[in-house]
Amino acid sequence: MKAIANALIVTIASASSALAASGAAADEGGFLAPLFLAFGAAIIAFQAIPAVMLLGSMVKGFFSKKAEAGANAR
């Protein structure tokens, strides 16, 4: 049991330095990464406009006077 624990500790200790030196963050993604983020922001912005209009209509309908129930009943 002790040998398995020691082997596991040695494996984890040696793997941490190998993972730290990968250098994966050196590349910024080029031109397409900001273009993709701008496209996503535009989609969110264009969907926020109708959402705000719908919210305004809901609040307006909630606080407006209600129609009489007898006028619409047949």
Side-chain angles (χ1 to χ4, degrees), residues 37-73:
L37 293 175
F39 182 69
I43 289 174
I44 291 171
F46 287 133
Q47 289 196 6
I49 294 169
V52 169
M53 291 174 61
L54 180 63
L55 179 66
S57 297
M58 288 170 45
V59 169
K60 181 180 171 183
F62 183 71
F63 288 113
S64 67
K65 292 184 179 180
K66 299 196 189 289
E68 292 182 23
N72 292 332

Side-chain angles (χ1 to χ4, degrees), residues 1-30:
M1 186 67 135
K2 182 116 174 149
I4 294 173
N6 287 337
L8 187 61
I9 290 171
V10 169
T11 304
I12 292 173
S14 65
S16 64
S17 63
L19 293 175
S22 68
D27 188 18
E28 292 186 16

